[in-house]
């Protein structure tokens, strides 16, 4: 086996929460009179909540915003986002994703999560995915977000595996950079395939099994 463990990004790889992030940021942006398109939203993929707000505020034309006010906006956005997350359930994970995770586990791979999101545990619970993973490394455990490698190194540490034995699955450019900085290979899916920087490319999630076992 070329890899012993597979570390999955969550948002955009296992679940499609991008639209909820977009709607929650859009609500805040509208309130502040900031233009915010789905294209702007693409820049937020894989980026922490705090950095996302700074990107959105690039287009803000009002008075400087205090750190306290920013904290308030972050909380407001997260509350809107959590309302959408509370509607998620088992059906928000495709059969293809669920079956592939099972097949990989049965084939002896160790599975972990490596996500910037501080809502990771809640999303996994809502979607009944928690038991699929031996380790969860997320936004609540790190001080530097992707493209920094911290979240993936933490996942490898929790599994007690060498980074070189781990494969990361990512949909964000920042995540591809982070995985490589951690000394890990990456399988890109969705938007992350465009740069051609990943070691493997998935046109659909189930391709992962063939890459690992084919
Ligand atoms: C990443 C998403 O997984 O998590 C980003 O791709 C998001 O868009 C980041 O900003 C942080 O998420 P949360 O849930 O902590 O606000
Ligand atoms: Mg992602």
């Amino acid at each position: 086996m070329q890899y012993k463990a597979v570390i999955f990004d969550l948002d955009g790889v296992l679940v499609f929460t991008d639209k909820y992030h977009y709607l929650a940021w859009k609500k805040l942006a509208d309130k502040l009179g900031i233009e915010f398109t789905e294209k702007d939203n693409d820049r937020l993929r894989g980026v922490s909540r705090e950095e996302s707000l700074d990107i959105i505020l690039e287009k803000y034309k009002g008075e400087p915003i205090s750190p306290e006010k920013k904290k308030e906006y972050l909380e407001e956005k997260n509350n809107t986002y959590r309302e959408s997350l509370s509607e998620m359930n088992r059906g928000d994970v495709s059969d293809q994703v669920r079956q592939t995770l099972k097949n990989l586990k049965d084939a002896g791979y160790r599975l972990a999560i490596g996500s910037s999101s501080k809502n990771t545990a809640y999303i996994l619970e809502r979607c009944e995915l928690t038991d699929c993973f031996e380790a969860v490394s997320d936004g609540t455990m790190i001080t530097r977000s992707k493209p920094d490698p911290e979240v993936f190194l933490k996942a490898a540490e929790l599994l007690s595996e060498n980074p070189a034995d781990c494969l990361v699955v990512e949909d964000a450019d920042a995540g591809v950079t982070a995985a490589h900085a951690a000394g890990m290979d990456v399988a890109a899916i969705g938007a992350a395939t465009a740069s051609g920087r990943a070691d493997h490319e998935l046109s659909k999630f189930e391709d992962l099994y063939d890459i690992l076992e084919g």
Side-chain angles (χ1 to χ4, degrees), residues 1 40 48 50 74 99 107 109 111 114 116 129 149-150 163 174 192 201 208:
M1 279 179 4
D40 294 322
S48 74
E50 291 74 9
L74 288 170
Q99 189 60 48
Y109 292 94
L111 310 184
S116 304
L129 277 174
E150 189 179 3
E201 285 178 8
L208 187 59

Side-chain angles (χ1 to χ4, degrees), residues 64-104:
I65 296 172
S66 68
E68 293 73 30
K69 201 73 198 162
K70 278 192 186 180
K71 221 174 140 204
E72 215 176 276
Y73 292 153
L74 288 170
E75 212 175 297
E76 208 174 301
K77 183 268 171 179
N78 197 48
N79 288 341
T80 313
Y81 180 56
R82 297 266 303 198
E83 271 174 39
S84 301
L85 295 184
S86 71
E87 303 283 317
M88 290 183 87
N89 57 49
R90 195 180 165 82
D92 284 289
V93 178
S94 70
D95 292 342
Q96 187 181 155
V97 164
R98 226 175 263 283
Q99 189 60 48
T100 303
L101 292 174
K102 185 180 180 309
N103 293 344
L104 292 175

